[in-house]
Amino acid sequence: MSASIGRIQTDADYEIALLHEAHEALADIITPKLYKIAGPAGDQQIAFHTAEHFELFLVRLVELFSAGAPIGGQTRNVQLIEGLAWLAATHPAEAAHCGLGETVATLQSWAGEETDAEFWCGELGLQIKLRLSRRDIIWFAANCAKHGLLRLSVVLEKLERKLNANGVSVPPADIVAILPDLRQEATNRVEYHASYLVEMIGHVFVALNRIAWRRFKANPTNETRKMTMPVGVSSDVFRNLYGSFLVFKRYDEATRITTYIPQTTRYLRMRF
C-alpha cells in the first residue's frame, strides 16, 4: 500500500478532511457537556459546569484557530476557520444557501479585532499594556491552560514578541514573571466573551450541518460507492471519510445544535 494513500493530495481530499474535522470540532464545543444556558432569549449567557470544563472549552476553542493540514500539497498550513472560509469561497452558492460564508466571516472578523489588554505585574511592579487581537488573547489563555512552565517556551517567545512590538522593555529573564498575570487577564476576557463566542460558533455549526444535509439529500444513500464525491478524491480513505461525514454527521438541527446556542445579551457583545 502506498504511504501517500492517507495523505491530503488534492483540494477534494482537503475538503473532505475539513468537513469531517470541522464538524467534529464544532460539535465538541456546542454541547451541554460543557455548559448550560441561563436567561430568556435575547438576554442569555452560558455557565460552565466547573473550572475544568472552562479549561476544556479553551483547549477546544483554540483548535479552531490552530494550523491544520496543507491544501493540495501546498506547504502553507490552514486553520479550521480559515479552511471553512476557503470552503465557502470554493462553493459560493452552497455556502450562501446554508449561511456558511456569513457566519464564518462574522467569527473571523470578531477574532481579528484588536483590543488593549492592560494588567499589573506585581512581581515586577509594572503596569503592562499590550495591543492584542482577540485571537491572540484566546491563544494565550488556552496555551497557558494546556501547558506547564517547562513546556511554555513557545508562549514565552510569543509574549516577548508582543512586548517588543508594544514598546514594553523587560529583560528576557523577567518575562516569565509576566505570564501568570497575562494568563489571568486573557482568561478573564475569554470567560467574559464565552457566551457570544459560543453563539457565533453555534451559527457556524448550523451552517456546516446544513451542508451535510444538503449534500446527502442531493443523492440520498448510505453506500459510499454510490455517493457523489467531490471531484478529485485521491483514495478510498477519503471516500470513506466523506461517507462517514454524510451518514453520521447529519445532526438534527433543533435537538442537537440550536438548543445549545445562546441568544446572547447585547452587553456581552460589546468591545472588550
Side-chain angles (χ1 to χ4, degrees), residues 30 35-38 43-48 54 57 110 189-202 260-265 268-269:
I30 307 302
Y35 58 83
K36 61 182 178 181
I37 299 175
D43 194 26
Q44 293 177 328
Q45 58 184 336
I46 66 170
F48 294 96
F54 174 62
F57 167 76
W110 181 92
R189 284 174 178 260
V190 178
E191 192 166 15
Y192 170 84
H193 286 305
S195 296
Y196 186 41
L197 265 167
V198 167
E199 182 175 9
M200 288 187 288
I201 292 166
Y260 307 113
I261 300 175
Q263 296 180 39
T264 311
T265 171
L268 296 180
R269 300 176 182 223

Side-chain angles (χ1 to χ4, degrees), residues 14 65-71 73-80 82-83:
Y14 176 72
F65 302 101
S66 298
I71 298 177
Q74 297 180 25
T75 56
R76 68 185 180 93
N77 285 345
V78 178
Q79 301 167 0
L80 278 179
E82 287 181 346

Side-chain angles (χ1 to χ4, degrees), residues 78-97:
V78 178
Q79 301 167 0
L80 278 179
I81 291 300
E82 287 181 346
L84 290 176
W86 171 86
L87 182 70
T90 303
H91 303 285
E94 177 183 63
H97 181 84

Side-chain angles (χ1 to χ4, degrees), residues 188-229:
N188 288 347
R189 284 174 178 260
V190 178
E191 192 166 15
Y192 170 84
H193 286 305
S195 296
Y196 186 41
L197 265 167
V198 167
E199 182 175 9
M200 288 187 288
I201 292 166
H203 293 157
V204 174
F205 190 19
V206 167
L208 192 60
N209 194 66
R210 287 177 178 174
I211 287 177
W213 275 102
R214 181 180 172 86
R215 293 192 180 188
F216 178 81
K217 288 179 178 179
N219 184 20
T221 177
N222 290 343
E223 297 184 51
T224 302
R225 63 185 179 84
K226 295 181 180 180
M227 290 179 178
T228 303
M229 296 281 164

Side-chain angles (χ1 to χ4, degrees), residues 115-132 136-137 140-141 144 155-156 158-160 162-163 166 168 170 174-189 272:
T115 184
D116 290 327
E118 191 167 359
F119 55 94
W120 172 256
C121 177
E123 187 170 339
L124 300 181
L126 185 66
Q127 185 74 10
I128 295 175
K129 183 177 180 180
L130 300 177
R131 189 72 176 169
L132 300 173
D136 286 331
I137 290 169
F140 278 114
C144 286
V155 177
L156 291 171
K158 182 167 183 173
L159 174 55
E160 184 176 21
K162 294 297 181 181
L163 290 168
N166 285 269
V168 181
V170 177
D174 290 341
I175 291 177
V176 68
I178 299 173
L179 206 55
D181 301 295
L182 172 61
R183 176 183 180 177
Q184 188 62 57
E185 174 72 8
T187 299
N188 288 347
R189 284 174 178 260
F272 174 64

